[in-house]
Structures are given as C-alpha cells and as structure tokens.
C-alpha cells in the first residue's frame, strides 16, 4: 500500500518573525494624547509575535490598550539603514512576574501594514 505523501506544509510563522527581527531592532511612536515620543528595543516574545518591554511605572501604560492601532517607526539594527513607518496593532499587555522582567509589562505587537 502506498502512503500519501501529498501533504501541505503549514506556513512557518517563526521564519516570518525572524525576518522582522533581523530587519528591525527598535521601534518608536508618539502618543497623540500627550505628544510624548517613546523608543523601545524590539523583543522576540513568542513563536509568532514580537513586542516591547515597558517598566510598570511608565506613563505610556496609561494610554496603550489592547487592539489599539498605532503608526510606529521601525529602526534597523544598522545606523545606515532607513527606518520604516508601519501600522501596528497592540495584541496583548502582560505583566511579567519572573525574576528577569519583574516590574515590567510585555506589550505584544503585530505589524498590520506598511504606511
């Protein structure tokens, strides 16, 4: 009996995330409510998302909500590369209690389109 080897491989989301993290190092955005500019290092937070780590005392937490869509400026790792503006959705805001990130929130981000 011949085994069916005609299967479709699921799309590898981890590879997509690696491309994003290889292309961008940090993100910057301005809150329209305050006019304050924030800049954070991007982090690989799970198998299919990226995010930023925010101190629990930061005022930015008062203004960010899950499902908010912001125009963020993504910076490459090299200073010579040009930054890109990308529409980004907040997918989660999670308090971290572990030793290494105690006192911080992890903000999950999802790029939804280029500007």
């Amino acid at each position: 009996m011949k085994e069916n080897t005609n299967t479709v491989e699921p799309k590898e989301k981890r590879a997509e995330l690696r491309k994003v993290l290889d292309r961008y190092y940090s993100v910057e955005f301005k809150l329209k409510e305050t006019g304050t500019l924030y800049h954070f290092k991007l982090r690989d937070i799970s198998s299919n998302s990226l995010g930023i780590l925010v101190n629990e005392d930061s005022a930015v937490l008062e203004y960010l909500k899950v499902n908010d869509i912001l125009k963020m400026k993504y910076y490459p790792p090299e200073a010579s590369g040009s930054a890109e503006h990308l529409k980004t959705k907040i997918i989660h805001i999670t308090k971290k209690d572990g030793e290494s990130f105690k006192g911080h929130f992890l903000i999950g981000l999802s790029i939804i389109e280029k500007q």
Side-chain angles (χ1 to χ4, degrees):
M1 184 168 176
K2 188 175 180 181
E3 192 175 310
N4 185 358
T5 59
N6 212 7
T7 60
V8 176
E9 291 293 319
K11 192 172 182 180
E12 176 59 50
K13 292 198 181 256
R14 186 76 179 160
E16 289 176 20
L17 177 62
R18 283 273 43 106
K19 288 178 192 172
V20 169
L21 289 172
D22 288 345
R23 189 169 181 177
Y24 307 115
Y25 177 78
S26 63
V27 65
E28 179 180 270
F29 59 92
K30 184 183 278 192
L31 291 177
K32 62 182 172 187
E33 296 87 353
T34 65
T36 305
L37 188 66
Y38 291 93
H39 194 110
F40 296 96
K41 178 183 173 190
L42 283 170
R43 298 184 177 266
D44 178 354
I45 62 173
S46 75
S47 62
N48 58 3
S49 66
L50 61 133
I52 55 176
L53 196 61
V54 179
N55 188 292
E56 67 184 352
D57 297 327
S58 176
V60 75
L61 291 171
E62 295 177 38
Y63 300 98
L64 295 180
K65 305 287 181 256
V66 173
N67 294 322
D68 281 356
I69 296 175
L70 303 167
K71 183 172 80 171
M72 295 189 171
K73 191 173 185 179
Y74 286 76
Y75 288 91
E78 307 87 28
S80 61
S82 59
E84 290 185 62
H85 288 91
L86 304 172
K87 194 182 282 187
T88 305
K89 183 176 184 178
I90 305 292
I91 55 174
H92 71 80
I93 300 174
T94 307
K95 184 165 180 136
K96 301 306 285 181
D97 292 324
E99 284 295 313
S100 57
F101 298 121
K102 189 173 183 161
H104 289 81
F105 282 83
L106 197 52
I107 312 292
L109 306 175
S110 177
I111 297 170
I112 51 179
E113 70 180 47
K114 290 187 178 190
Q115 295 287 300

